[in-house]
């Protein structure tokens, strides 16, 4: 999901060391539903002795109202740690009507991170919640700790093949499947078309060089002071943008053996580029160093930035006259990239998984299919704009119509969705991310050279990895 203002990442980086310990293993095959026995035929009335012909059977009285058959699994309760939206509540209600399985959601107070409560439940056996929400950067930790159920035997080939590549990564770790996609959003590149046309640029920049030229042009004309505000505060978002930029320059971030590769080649080139944007060409707002996601979007909505890199579907906000001064000026585009390299963005997908300690694993999987399968994902998108992880939904007429109403460029979205990078999926991600954020800031503020900062990140990563591997 998009990184929130609540420092969930920072909390987890201190928590994971003591949290992992209990490894559980269980896998229950899905039970077939018990068939309902057919009703017995009514008995015929006895034949009177004086009649040669058999008498007609006595008519069965017609009941005043036919009782509805009980739902097949009435009495089963699935528990979740979630504050359900109106769309989710409607899905839950429909699921209960269909199956009899009741969904009990434990509401999360505003501004409270549920992670501590969830991990405490895992360490106590994982029986408090049947279905749990898992961020992509937590999947590795939850999997190796034995906290979530391996659903490889349940998930079908059809579902796997229909998942968008980055959404597939969010539910698979080391070849095993752990759930179904939820909130499969990525960051969207947005440009102000009007500003570009005002300086004689009739198409959005495709390469990094074209981006710099366009940024300088809008600044020199006085349309904006800084072409873009990035969300580069020392937090998780800068740890999202950096791997996207590495991929857009054709670089490799981490090896198949979890070796960090960022202190060479594209990793170094990207950080030098970021430093240059802030300190030399000055096309990046210095406020980027303290800006969060909403600050970056607000800067573009206020007309103070020609470009933006935002989570989800920001065009809806930028075209809302109550929130924006640039209504109908902005459009979605592909992230600028190195010539000859594909355009990449970064994702923040999540999934719903089954808790290893759930006593209702079959019913929990049935619920996941209903809620997060194609039809459920469609309801989420139309009901609240939540981005889906199913490729086939791009061709759904109702979804296309909704996207058109919201001015979402589905052709751009479809193309971008095929090239989405995830952050490293390692159980020690949170400790590593904290080290990365620190050293990126050291380079951007010129406290360290680019090479020294990245060498220090790799050194810290290797120490964290070495200690973590002894725990798992």
């Amino acid at each position: 999901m998009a990184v929130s203002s609540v420092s969930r990442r920072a909390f987890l980086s201190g928590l994971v060391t003591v949290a992992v310990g209990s490894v559980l293993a269980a896998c229950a095959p899905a039970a077939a539903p018990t068939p309902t026995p057919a009703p017995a035929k009514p008995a015929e009335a006895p034949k009177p002795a004086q009649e040669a012909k058999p008498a007609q059977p006595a008519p069965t009285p017609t009941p005043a109202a036919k009782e509805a058959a009980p739902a097949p699994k009435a009495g089963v309760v699935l528990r979740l740690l979630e504050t359900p939206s109106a769309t989710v509540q409607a899905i839950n209600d429909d699921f209960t009507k269909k199956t009899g399985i009741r969904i009990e959601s434990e509401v999360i107070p505003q501004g409270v991170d549920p992670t501590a409560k969830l991990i405490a439940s895992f360490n106590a056996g994982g029986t408090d919640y049947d279905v749990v929400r898992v961020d992509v950067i937590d999947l590795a930790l939850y999997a190796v700790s034995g906290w979530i159920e391996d659903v490889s035997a349940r998930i079908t080939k059809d579902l796997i093949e229909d998942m968008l590549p980055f959404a597939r990564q969010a539910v698979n770790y080391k070849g095993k499947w752990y759930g179904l996609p939820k909130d499969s959003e990525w960051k969207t590149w947005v440009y102000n078309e009007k500003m570009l046309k005002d300086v004689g640029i009739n198409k959005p920049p495709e390469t990094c060089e074209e981006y710099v030229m366009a940024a300088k042009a809008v600044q020199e004309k006085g349309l904006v002071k800084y072409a873009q505000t990035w969300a580069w505060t020392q937090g998780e978002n800068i740890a999202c943008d950096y791997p996207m930029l590495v991929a857009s320059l054709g670089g490799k971030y981490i090896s198949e053996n979890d070796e960090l590769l960022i202190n060479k080649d594209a990793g170094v080139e990207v950080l030098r580029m970021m430093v240059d944007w802030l300190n030399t060409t000055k096309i990046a707002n210095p406020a980027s160093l303290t800006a969060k996601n909403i600050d970056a979007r607000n800067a573009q909505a206020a007309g103070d930035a020609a470009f933006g890199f935002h989570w989800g579907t920001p065009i809806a906000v930028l075209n809302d006259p109550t929130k924006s001064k640039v209504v109908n000026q902005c459009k979605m585009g592909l992230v600028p990239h190195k010539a000859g390299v594909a355009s990449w963005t970064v994702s923040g997908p999540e999934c719903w998984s089954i808790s290893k300690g759930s006593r209702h694993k079959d019913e929990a999987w049935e619920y996941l299919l209903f809620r997060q399968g194609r039809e459920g994902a469609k309801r989420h998108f139309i009901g609240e704009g939540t981005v889906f992880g199913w490729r086939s939904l791009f061709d759904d007429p109702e979804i296309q119509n909704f996207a058109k109403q919201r001015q979402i460029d589905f052709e751009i979205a479809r193309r971008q969705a095929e090239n989405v990078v995830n952050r490293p999926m390692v159980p020690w991600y949170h400790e590593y991310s904290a080290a990365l954020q620190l050293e990126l800031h050291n380079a951007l503020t010129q406290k360290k050279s680019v090479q020294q900062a990245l060498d220090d990140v790799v050194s810290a990563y290797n120490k964290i990895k070495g200690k973590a591997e002894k725990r798992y």
Side-chain angles (χ1 to χ4, degrees), residues 78-136:
L78 297 179
R79 293 180 171 83
L80 287 72
L81 183 60
E82 176 188 38
T83 303
S85 65
T87 299
V88 170
Q89 189 59 57
I91 291 173
N92 289 349
D93 292 344
D94 288 346
F95 180 72
T96 299
K97 290 175 185 176
K98 178 182 177 182
T99 65
I101 300 169
R102 187 162 58 87
I103 306 301
E104 188 175 281
S105 300
E106 183 176 330
V107 174
I108 305 166
Q110 182 75 22
V112 174
D113 192 320
T115 305
K117 194 173 185 67
L118 185 60
I119 290 181
S121 170
F122 287 148
N123 283 325
T127 58
D128 291 340
Y129 309 107
D130 297 282
V131 179
V132 295
R133 179 175 174 172
V134 184
D135 198 326
V136 62

Side-chain angles (χ1 to χ4, degrees), residues 250-298:
K252 192 168 184 180
Y253 195 94
I254 193 168
S255 75
E256 290 76 10
N257 297 320
D258 296 334
E259 176 189 1
L260 195 62
L261 306 173
I262 62 173
N263 63 338
K264 61 183 83 171
D265 304 325
V268 176
E269 186 179 356
V270 162
L271 187 51
R272 283 181 179 151
M273 187 170 66
M274 294 166 68
V275 170
D276 181 70
W277 292 348
L278 271 169
N279 300 288
T280 305
T281 59
K282 298 185 178 180
I283 59 174
N285 192 333
S288 299
L289 292 174
T290 56
K292 298 179 181 179
N293 291 301
I294 193 167
D295 302 319
R297 193 184 68 192
N298 287 346

Side-chain angles (χ1 to χ4, degrees), residues 131-132 134 139 148-152 154-156 159-160 163 167-168 170-173 176-182 350-354 365 368-369 372 390:
V131 179
V132 295
V134 184
L139 183 68
I148 52 179
E149 180 80 359
D150 177 359
V151 297
S152 301
R154 299 177 186 269
I155 197 165
T156 64
L159 289 173
I160 293 170
M163 286 185 204
R168 192 181 304 151
V171 298
N172 185 287
Y173 180 69
K176 295 182 179 179
W177 300 90
Y178 289 97
L180 291 179
K182 177 197 182 300
E350 298 180 343
C351 74
W352 279 104
S353 297
I354 301 171
W365 180 247
L368 289 187
L369 289 172
Q372 299 302 143
W390 304 105

Side-chain angles (χ1 to χ4, degrees), residues 169-190:
Q169 293 171 20
V171 298
N172 185 287
Y173 180 69
K174 301 295 186 185
K176 295 182 179 179
W177 300 90
Y178 289 97
L180 291 179
K182 177 197 182 300
D183 290 359
S184 300
E185 67 181 357
W186 58 85
K187 295 192 79 172
T188 300
W189 182 259
V190 179

